[in-house]
């Protein structure tokens, strides 16, 4: 999984030096080894295929990739232990659903604070700190003795998830800036791989009857250790020689800290609404694909579960290969084409009366929407080079709101009409990706 205004500076050093300082901080302009971003169709610039970024930039990309993978692994690990939580506390589906809302609410509430933490403590320290908070929060839900405590635990865990989400995407934008070409899709692809790894590990733990308190208690410190170690190699503050111009322009006392909360600008709002459509389809597919196959196509439980597997795997593969597509065709064409594929897939789901057709439809949805959210984060970061975290937080908050609303809206429509009608609404939103993809032309 689930993410500000664009006119605010991170501080005097970053604000006055602008993107040149950011590139210097990551080694992106090291003479003879690094390549400054170009002006290609890929949105973040199109470097020549033979151009090779410098060692510091490559190390930064690996480090940020590891942080993405940790976040995904934590999410996948927790998802597999939700049935344990329901059984342990004896919750009905309705009460469990209410508790899970608190996790998304926590993420949405905390996201706008991420940029301020980075401003105060520095990007690396902030990323390491919120990563520890996220992993620590993973331990809390299985320790809850009752529903009220579970809601509080999930809210705190969601806060950590949201803060880490924004921080790692802001660092991803900086790495993409240094590379001069699209890398965000690959980073999110590793997040998807992390969810699959976490899910597989959680499934094995559940099959072995391992208590979730022990399972998550072991997984959390290991994930935190990896994230903290990786954060040391992510893009940091500019070296002293890179901040001379900034120091001449303004002193740190004059730096304007990002506000705790701010309404998104019109540009960020447009990008966020594009992400809203994609995440709505993602949430609907993740939560309802198995039920759709069972109720509408009459699939057996094992076959019904394959719909989610097809969706998750095709999304992961498309994200891992998405950067090459974006570099070749640009973000607008890529999202429009993906929107068409996803809409066709959703239409197949709506008309499907046999399991294979529905599984194919969900697989196409996964392919079509895979790169939309990474490209939305990248575009938001470019709208606010001085404070990408705030713009990313605006987009992510809208996306998380969509993820919160989608399962409930699909269920409500299905209760009053049918699941097929619900996915007719999903189809219409996916057509909206085709019509609004131009907002990524930043």
């Amino acid at each position: 999984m689930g993410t500000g205004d664009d006119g605010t500076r991170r501080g005097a050093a970053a604000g006055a030096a602008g993107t040149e300082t950011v590139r210097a901080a990551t080694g992106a302009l090291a003479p003879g080894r690094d390549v400054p971003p170009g002006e290609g169709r890929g949105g973040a610039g199109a470097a020549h295929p033979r151009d090779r970024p410098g060692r510091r930039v490559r190390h930064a990309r690996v480090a940020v990739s590891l942080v993405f993978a940790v976040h995904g692994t934590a999410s996948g690990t927790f998802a597999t232990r939700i049935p344990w939580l329901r059984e342990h506390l004896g919750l009905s589906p309705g009460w469990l659903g209410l508790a899970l809302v608190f996790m998304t609410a926590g993420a949405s509430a905390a996201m706008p604070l991420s940029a301020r933490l980075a401003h105060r403590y520095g990007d690396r320290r902030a990323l390491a700190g919120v990563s520890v908070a996220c992993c620590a929060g993973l331990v809390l839900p299985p320790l809850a003795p009752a529903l009220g405590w579970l809601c509080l635990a999930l809210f705190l865990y969601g806060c950590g998830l949201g803060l880490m989400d924004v921080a790692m995407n802001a660092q991803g934008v900086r790495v993409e800036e240094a590379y001069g070409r699209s890398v965000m899709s690959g980073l999110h692809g590793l997040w998807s791989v992390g969810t699959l790894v976490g899910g597989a590990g959680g499934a094995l733990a559940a099959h072995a009857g391992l208590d979730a308190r022990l399972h998550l208690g072991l997984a959390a410190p290991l994930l935190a250790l990896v994230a903290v170690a990786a954060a040391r190699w992510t893009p940091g503050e500019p070296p002293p020689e890179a901040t001379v111009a900034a120091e001449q322009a303004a002193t740190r006392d004059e730096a304007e800290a990002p506000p705790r909360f701010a309404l998104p600008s019109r540009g960020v709002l447009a990008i966020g609404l594009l992400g809203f459509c994609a995440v709505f389809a993602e949430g609907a597919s993740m939560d309802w694909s198995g039920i759709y196959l069972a109720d509408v196509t009459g699939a057996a439980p094992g076959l019904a579960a394959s719909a989610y597997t097809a969706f998750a795997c095709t999304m992961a593969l498309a994200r891992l290969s998405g950067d090459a597509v974006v570099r070749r065709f640009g973000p607008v064409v890529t999202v429009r084409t993906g929107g068409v594929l996803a809409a066709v897939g959703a239409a197949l789901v709506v008309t499907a009366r046999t399991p294979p057709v529905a599984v194919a439809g969900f697989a196409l949805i996964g392919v079509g929407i895979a790169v939309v959210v990474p490209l939305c984060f990248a575009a938001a970061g470019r709208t606010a080079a001085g404070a990408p975290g705030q713009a990313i937080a605006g987009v992510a908050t809208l996306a998380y709101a969509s993820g919160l609303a989608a399962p409930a809206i699909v269920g409500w429509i299905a209760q009053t009409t049918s699941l097929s009608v619900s996915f007719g609404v999903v189809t219409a939103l996916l057509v909206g990706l085709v019509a609004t993809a131009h907002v990524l032309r930043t």
Side-chain angles (χ1 to χ4, degrees):
M1 47 11 88
T3 112
D5 66 0
D6 59 341
T8 316
R9 294 185 176 91
R10 249 188 88 249
T19 56
E20 294 300 318
T21 303
V22 171
R23 296 173 190 168
T26 57
L29 298 181
R33 303 183 63 179
D34 300 304
V35 183
E39 299 297 332
R41 291 175 295 176
H48 192 281
R50 289 175 294 184
D51 291 337
R52 184 174 174 80
R55 184 174 60 181
R56 283 194 298 173
V57 182
R58 298 196 303 273
H59 287 174
R61 181 178 181 179
V62 172
V64 175
S65 298
L66 284 173
V67 176
F68 269 83
V70 166
H71 191 279
T73 303
S75 300
T77 300
F78 173 75
T80 62
R81 304 321 304 256
I82 292 177
W84 185 93
L85 286 173
R86 181 178 66 176
E87 181 179 353
H88 180 65
L89 295 178
L91 301 177
S92 68
W95 286 117
L96 177 62
L98 175 64
L100 292 174
V101 167
F102 279 81
M103 183 170 68
T104 305
S108 300
M111 282 176 172
L113 302 176
S114 185
R116 193 172 183 89
L117 291 175
H119 173 84
R120 182 170 181 177
Y121 298 107
D123 297 301
R124 287 176 178 167
R125 291 178 62 189
L127 179 59
V130 298
S131 297
V132 170
C134 177
C135 295
L138 184 63
V139 181
L140 298 178
L143 299 178
L147 176 62
W149 289 105
L150 178 62
C151 292
L152 177 60
L154 289 173
F155 182 86
L156 294 175
Y157 174 48
C159 288
L161 280 174
L163 289 170
M164 187 176 176
D165 194 316
V166 174
M168 70 188 189
N169 275 286
Q171 291 288 52
V173 168
R174 297 181 70 181
V175 170
E176 183 169 275
E177 165 79 12
Y179 261 74
R181 58 180 183 264
S182 176
V183 301
M184 287 292 285
S185 180
L187 295 177
H188 281 259
L190 288 170
W191 183 91
S192 296
V193 171
T195 63
L196 294 174
V197 171
L204 290 174
H207 182 72
L210 188 64
D211 190 292
R213 290 166 291 194
L214 178 59
H215 175 210
L216 299 185
L218 292 173
L222 177 61
L223 292 173
L225 181 64
V226 174
V228 171
R232 296 182 59 189
W233 297 93
T234 57
E237 284 64 52
E241 61 271 17
T243 61
V244 173
E247 291 173 354
Q248 292 175 343
T251 64
R252 180 170 296 276
D253 290 340
E254 297 169 330
E256 180 185 356
R260 290 181 176 84
F261 295 97
L263 293 175
S265 69
R266 183 177 302 175
V268 170
L269 181 61
I271 296 170
L273 290 176
L274 182 69
F276 183 98
C277 294
V279 174
F280 191 100
E282 180 179 351
S285 299
M286 290 178 65
D287 290 358
W288 288 95
S289 56
I291 297 174
Y292 193 98
L293 259 73
D295 291 0
V296 178
T297 69
L303 183 56
S306 67
Y308 171 74
T309 302
F311 171 82
C313 288
T314 55
M315 172 175 279
L317 290 173
R319 281 179 168 175
L320 290 173
S321 59
D323 289 321
V325 177
V326 173
R327 289 196 292 267
R328 175 66 178 86
F329 298 104
V332 176
V333 173
T334 300
V335 169
R336 281 178 176 163
T337 304
V340 171
L341 287 174
V344 170
L348 282 177
V349 170
V350 170
T351 59
R353 294 299 177 266
T354 60
V357 176
V359 170
F362 283 113
L364 279 177
I365 294 175
V367 172
I369 67 175
V371 301
V372 177
V373 171
L375 290 177
C376 285
F377 285 145
R382 292 194 300 272
T383 66
Q390 282 193 271
I392 291 171
V395 170
T397 300
L398 287 170
Y400 267 70
S402 180
L404 173 64
I409 291 176
V410 169
W412 177 77
I413 296 175
Q415 185 171 345
T416 56
T417 55
S418 68
L419 270 175
S420 296
V421 174
S422 296
F423 276 87
V425 175
V426 173
T427 305
L429 289 175
L430 291 171
V431 172
L433 295 179
V434 182
T436 60
H438 64 276
V439 302
L440 297 178
R441 191 181 288 117
T442 57

